[in-house]
Amino acid sequence: MPSEVTGRPTYRPTKEKLKERKASGKRRKKIKSTQFQKIRNEGKVSYTVASATKALLEGQALGAECLIVDPPRKGLDDEVMSQLCKPFNPKQPFVESFDYLYESTWNTNFANDVKTLIYVSCGFDALARDCDKLLSGNAGWTLESATGYVLFPGSDHVETLAVFRRRGRR
């Protein structure tokens, strides 16, 4: 931000300072490309904008540790809730693609690897209903936090962000 806005002075090195830096040989440490690739691959993040039911049943959540859902006012679909409420299956292998699973689809828990569920809700009634299903099911979900945000000032609309964690994971 410009100094006029922040009120802080802007630092600009003088020509003498730049010459001193060059003469002293101080340079930023370069990262080798192999180090960069290692850093880049450690935090793999991918996302899909799709119907939650379709994405889940296609295996998009397999291998995912965190799942973010932003359902409409009616809440999550029954198929998604049934997958999230299935208990953790330790015998199901940790895979990132449905092709690697040997079990039939009716026995597969498509949300088996998910440790954290982030639920963004615009309908409080639907959140309360879905929260009750998640907490009373035997999948091991616990409510870690729930916070309301006013994203549209001047309106009575509140978005709720709820974070669920699953107990009994690998």
Side-chain angles (χ1 to χ4, degrees), residues 141-161:
W141 291 108
T142 58
L143 181 62
E144 187 173 281
S145 69
T147 310
Y149 294 95
V150 177
L151 299 178
F152 308 104
S155 72
D156 61 348
H157 184 74
V158 176
E159 292 278 333
T160 307
L161 180 84

Side-chain angles (χ1 to χ4, degrees), residues 87-146:
F88 173 69
N89 181 3
K91 294 181 181 179
Q92 181 174 315
F94 181 82
V95 296
E96 292 186 8
S97 174
F98 183 68
D99 301 332
Y100 299 117
L101 286 178
Y102 300 112
E103 299 176 11
S104 59
T105 56
W106 61 269
N107 200 18
T108 302
N109 183 352
F110 289 98
N112 197 54
D113 303 321
V114 177
K115 295 179 189 175
T116 305
L117 175 66
I118 299 175
Y119 190 116
V120 181
S121 174
C122 59
F124 191 75
D125 294 336
L127 172 66
R129 185 194 69 232
D130 290 347
C131 183
D132 185 46
K133 286 182 184 176
L134 286 169
L135 296 176
S136 64
N138 58 354
W141 291 108
T142 58
L143 181 62
E144 187 173 281
S145 69

Side-chain angles (χ1 to χ4, degrees), residues 17-33:
K17 288 276 186 183
L18 290 172
K19 284 180 185 177
E20 286 174 19
R21 267 195 217 156
K22 275 188 175 180
S24 67
K26 287 184 180 178
R27 298 177 82 180
R28 285 192 288 166
K29 185 179 176 184
K30 288 190 175 184
I31 298 175
K32 294 180 182 178
S33 63

Side-chain angles (χ1 to χ4, degrees), residues 28-90:
R28 285 192 288 166
K29 185 179 176 184
K30 288 190 175 184
I31 298 175
K32 294 180 182 178
S33 63
T34 55
Q35 290 173 330
F36 178 72
Q37 286 297 331
K38 183 179 177 187
I39 293 168
R40 189 173 165 198
N41 292 336
E42 280 182 7
K44 182 182 174 190
V45 175
S46 63
Y47 67 93
T48 303
V49 178
S51 159
T53 306
K54 181 181 175 191
L56 198 64
L57 296 179
E58 286 178 355
Q60 294 290 326
L62 290 172
E65 291 183 10
C66 179
L67 185 66
I68 302 172
V69 292
D70 186 5
R73 289 192 188 278
K74 69 180 182 88
L76 286 173
D77 292 336
D78 291 334
E79 294 88 3
V80 176
M81 285 304 297
S82 68
Q83 288 295 319
L84 289 171
C85 290
K86 281 186 179 179
F88 173 69
N89 181 3

